[in-house]
Amino acid sequence: MNDTYGLIGAPVAHSLSPAMHNYWFKQYDISAHYQTHLVELENLDQAVSRLKKSGVKGFNVTYPLKTAILPLLDTVDEAAKEIGAVNTVVCSDDRLIGYNTDGAGFLEGLKQHFPELSGQHPSILIIGAGGAARSVALTLARAIGTRVDIANRTFDKAVKLSTACSVYAQSVPLTFKQAELQLDRYKVVINTTPIGFDIHENHPFICLDGVRSDTLFTDLIYQPRRTAFLQDAEHRGYPVMNGLPMLVYQGALAFEKWNGFVPETKKMEEHLIHKYLN
Ligand SMILES: NC(=O)c1ccc[n+]([C@@H]2O[C@H](COP(=O)([O-])OP(=O)(O)OC[C@H]3O[C@@H](n4cnc5c(N)ncnc54)[C@H](OP(=O)(O)O)[C@@H]3O)[C@@H](O)[C@H]2O)c1
């Protein structure tokens, strides 16, 4: 019988995770199937019990369940605990073990696409302070950043995330306006807000005048492939990276937790672009 894997969250219908994992299962001749389960926050307990009983080998967790799932797990990896969110669960011997591969996925994508950056210990600006920002900011602060500043609409949340990052790197909380005035300090600028995901709210929300010429602009959004923020940066001649590498590498690291090896990722990015994102 096939092993089963899945994704829980709401919404999940748009997710590329089934396409990605089922492609890898086929590629490596693994007899398994990955499918989405629409799970609202109020039904999380029952959904997790049902999955456990079904003998699922592992599952991914997405919005709005990444934090709410923590108390339902038997063990949570230290990095996921610090981030306060889990996106990957391994089911083993009736135990649920939680990990967070989002930040590590972003870092791996960055290393693959811009290998020169990680050795440079770049100064980094994170725009946003939500769940994805926490995962990316803490991972980068721990791994490569000398400075990881946080700009957020709700300033209190920028303060909280910046305080957490300052254990590993220099970090200050900023308003959007303050960030805009000191953009020339950063080698990497990462938009982690959903601005740009909705075509009605796709506008450049920060003015890029005066930025140094080698600054890399990245966005966690991959659909549209270029948000207005990335389009603006690209038109000005800056290098850019969208959220697709993060999606693929967080998936590859989840796959590794379940199967013990990291699957091929370069071709996966091309496959998803050609089949789903054109
Ligand atoms: N590529 C990938 O694999 C991947 C993985 C995970 C997430 N993502 C993407 O990352 C994005 C964020 O996800 P999340 O889970 O971190 O969401 P979240 O926890 O809801 O956080 C959203 C953040 O964006 C800010 N924000 C939202 N709307 C805004 C607006 N109109 N103006 C200014 N700031 C605004 C919020 O600021 P306040 O604090 O002021 O509310 C908050 O900091 C989503 O687009 C998601 O699709 C991509």
Side-chain angles (χ1 to χ4, degrees), residues 72-241:
L72 305 179
L73 303 173
D74 296 293
T75 311
V76 178
D77 159 77
E78 280 308 314
K81 247 188 229 163
E82 186 183 36
I83 290 163
V86 155
N87 79 326
T88 300
V89 175
V90 175
C91 311
S92 169
D93 299 329
D94 215 31
R95 289 172 57 75
L96 301 179
I97 307 152
Y99 300 90
N100 191 312
T101 67
D102 281 332
F106 180 88
L107 175 61
E108 205 44 48
L110 192 67
K111 282 181 175 170
Q112 295 296 327
H113 286 263
F114 298 92
E116 69 289 355
L117 265 182
S118 45
Q120 292 175 4
H121 300 292
S123 57
I124 297 165
L125 172 67
I126 308 271
I127 303 170
R134 264 194 89 75
S135 180
V136 170
L138 281 162
T139 304
L140 294 182
R142 250 189 262 120
I144 61 166
T146 44
R147 165 169 291 283
V148 179
D149 291 345
I150 313 291
N152 196 46
R153 177 178 62 180
T154 307
F155 192 68
D156 287 359
K157 280 167 71 181
V159 172
K160 195 167 167 224
L161 181 51
S162 172
T163 304
C165 288
S166 62
V167 172
Y168 305 104
Q170 295 175 56
S171 181
V172 291
L174 300 166
T175 63
F176 278 14
K177 198 76 227 159
Q178 287 168 327
E180 209 168 64
L181 291 172
Q182 59 173 53
L183 274 182
D184 61 336
R185 291 183 79 169
Y186 305 104
K187 186 78 176 44
V188 183
V189 177
I190 307 166
N191 174 38
T192 72
T193 77
I195 306 170
F197 179 66
D198 179 348
I199 48 165
H200 303 297
E201 228 202 313
N202 191 6
H203 52 84
F205 51 89
I206 196 156
C207 174
L208 305 189
D209 289 348
V211 178
R212 50 200 251 193
S213 62
D214 59 348
T215 297
L216 166 67
F217 288 89
T218 78
D219 203 311
L220 302 196
I221 294 168
Y222 52 85
Q223 202 164 25
R225 284 182 68 193
R226 293 280 180 268
T227 56
F229 167 68
L230 283 196
Q231 260 176 39
D232 184 21
E234 197 167 42
H235 286 154
R236 291 168 185 257
Y238 299 113
V240 298
M241 181 177 91

Side-chain angles (χ1 to χ4, degrees), residues 28-43:
Y28 294 107
D29 213 8
I30 296 170
S31 156
H33 186 69
Y34 184 109
Q35 68 186 79
T36 58
H37 304 269
L38 180 67
V39 177
E40 306 283 353
L41 192 54
E42 58 272 26
N43 303 324

